Amino acid sequence: MRAPDFWWPSTPTFAARCLQPVGAVYGTITSRRMRLAGAVPGKPVICVGNFTAGGAGKTPTAIALARRLAALGHGIAFLTRGYGGRQRGPLLLGHDDPHDEPVTEYTHVDVGDEPLLLARYAPVMVARDRRAGLDALLADGGVRPDVVIMDDGLQNPSISRTLSFAVVDAQTGIGNGLCIPAGPLRAPLAQQLPHVDALIVIGSGTAGDRVIAAAAALGKPVFAAHLEADADAARLVRGRRVLAFAGIGRPEKFFDTLEKIGAEIVQRKAFPDHAPFTPAQIAALEDEALRNDLLPVTTEKDAVRLLALTAAPHLRASMAVLPVEVVFDDEDGLRAYLARALPEPSAPLLDTGT
């Protein structure tokens, strides 16, 4: 899905106003659903969601929180819907040994691209029915997490959460403030905020200011964060002429990151979020890179989808992948907040890395 351009101006356009009545109905239905009581799980559940449709950085934020919880001694597992995959689940990815490689018999066609990223860090339960997925995860004797991190699902009421974080892109905020299809909101902001414990605002920009102000008025903590490129990958692309391509919620964020680390973007190609690459698209990327002597560079999420394709041997062999990490401006404050909200940990399941 690629978000319509008219979603993002702070003042609704004519097209947005025309769709506003439909959006009001959509937002009302979602708001009512969010008020339903969820099942109380046997373990703490942390939801990492957002107020809007489209990418705000939920999956890298979920990974960042998992790493910090692991540093506090918690064993982590992820719960995700597996958007874009054909398997309904419940289906467990990964191992209970953090030094093992995650299972590889599934591809993005089966479970979507995001679960395969998450499985590099901790066991992942993929399930369209999140409550059934949580039950299966907690019943699996080989996993035994202290904390379950639910990637997305802020508007899903099936599970009661210990903490709910809303991730906000500072550059786009909530756009025109209207609900789908008139704007990016899944429900009116005022109706969603009571279901959120804290905000995580990624990047810089003024578009997120009204969300921050609304959260602060309700006494909700706001944690500022930014994206940092992997240092080793950054060295490989710094100073290089590159063909940058990405199929994520906001490809512009990836392009901005490349420019910040010193890559020269000669060509940039944006694809819809989660969209599978077609043979024609792959051939065009390969041809463009070869003809202009460019280094193809993409995101981790796009690389997951490409690695499963036999039609992209040259592209896969020649491209660079640029992982990014969510870094919090107040690391100590975030860790203290998590420590206060959660019970004492048992044995960790996740390798925090270095």
Side-chain angles (χ1 to χ4, degrees):
M1 169 184 173
R2 180 172 290 166
D5 291 339
F6 66 78
W7 277 8
W8 303 115
S10 57
T11 301
T13 64
F14 176 74
R17 291 296 187 196
C18 290
L19 293 169
Q20 188 172 0
V22 182
V25 173
Y26 182 98
T28 298
I29 294 171
T30 304
S31 298
R32 289 176 178 170
R33 186 173 68 246
M34 291 180 72
R35 292 196 292 268
L36 298 175
V40 178
K43 295 286 185 179
V45 173
I46 297 178
C47 175
V48 181
N50 60 355
F51 299 122
T52 62
K58 296 185 298 296
T59 298
T61 302
I63 292 169
L65 289 174
R67 293 173 69 89
R68 282 144 186 84
L69 286 167
L72 293 172
H74 289 283
I76 308 299
F78 294 107
L79 174 65
T80 181
R81 180 179 181 273
Y83 181 86
R86 62 188 175 190
Q87 296 285 347
R88 296 189 61 84
L91 181 67
L92 183 65
L93 308 182
H95 298 289
D96 57 352
D97 183 346
H99 300 288
D100 284 349
E101 289 295 319
V103 294
T104 56
E105 66 261 33
Y106 300 108
T107 71
H108 71 283
V109 176
D110 301 308
V111 297
D113 45 24
E114 289 163 348
L116 296 176
L117 290 180
L118 295 170
R120 297 177 179 178
Y121 299 89
V124 181
M125 180 60 73
V126 180
R128 302 277 179 89
D129 183 333
R130 287 186 175 88
R131 181 172 175 178
L134 181 64
D135 290 343
L137 178 64
L138 298 182
D140 191 305
V143 180
R144 304 182 307 278
D146 291 316
V147 180
V148 176
I149 298 179
M150 187 164 68
D151 184 17
D152 206 358
L154 180 62
Q155 294 76 23
N156 187 307
S158 61
I159 299 170
S160 178
R161 301 82 182 262
T162 307
L163 284 176
S164 288
F165 289 98
V167 183
V168 178
D169 185 325
Q171 290 187 333
T172 56
I174 56 171
N176 60 19
L178 301 179
C179 294
I180 300 169
L185 282 172
R186 302 174 191 239
L189 181 64
Q191 303 301 316
Q192 295 196 71
L193 273 172
H195 302 278
V196 170
D197 296 291
L199 260 60
I200 295 174
V201 181
I202 299 179
S204 59
T206 59
D209 288 351
R210 63 170 162 166
V211 190
I212 295 171
L218 295 177
K220 298 182 184 293
V222 177
F223 296 99
H226 60 278
L227 295 176
E228 283 190 5
D230 176 80
D232 291 334
R235 281 192 289 271
L236 290 175
V237 301
R238 185 175 294 119
R240 299 286 299 274
R241 300 173 71 251
V242 305
L243 164 63
F245 65 99
I248 58 177
R250 288 194 59 233
E252 298 82 6
K253 289 201 295 187
F254 173 63
F255 302 147
D256 289 345
T257 300
L258 274 173
E259 290 180 331
K260 285 176 183 176
I261 63 175
E264 180 187 349
I265 303 179
V266 178
Q267 293 286 343
R268 59 188 72 200
K269 306 289 184 181
F271 298 92
D273 194 15
H274 301 286
F277 292 100
T278 67
Q281 289 170 336
I282 291 168
L285 290 168
E286 289 180 342
D287 180 65
E288 185 78 25
L290 288 170
R291 281 192 297 105
N292 297 286
D293 192 25
L294 304 177
L295 173 67
V297 186
T298 193
T299 71
E300 274 192 302
K301 195 164 100 168
D302 292 292
V304 163
R305 300 199 302 281
L306 282 169
L307 290 174
L309 301 177
T310 59
H314 177 77
L315 188 65
R316 286 187 285 118
S318 62
M319 71 183 183
V321 179
L322 185 69
V324 294
E325 180 183 1
V326 172
V327 177
F328 295 91
D329 295 357
D330 183 6
E331 289 279 355
D332 292 339
L334 175 68
R335 291 195 183 197
Y337 179 76
L338 293 170
R340 288 194 302 270
L342 298 171
E344 289 295 316
S346 59
L349 299 179
L350 186 152
D351 188 0
T352 60
T354 56

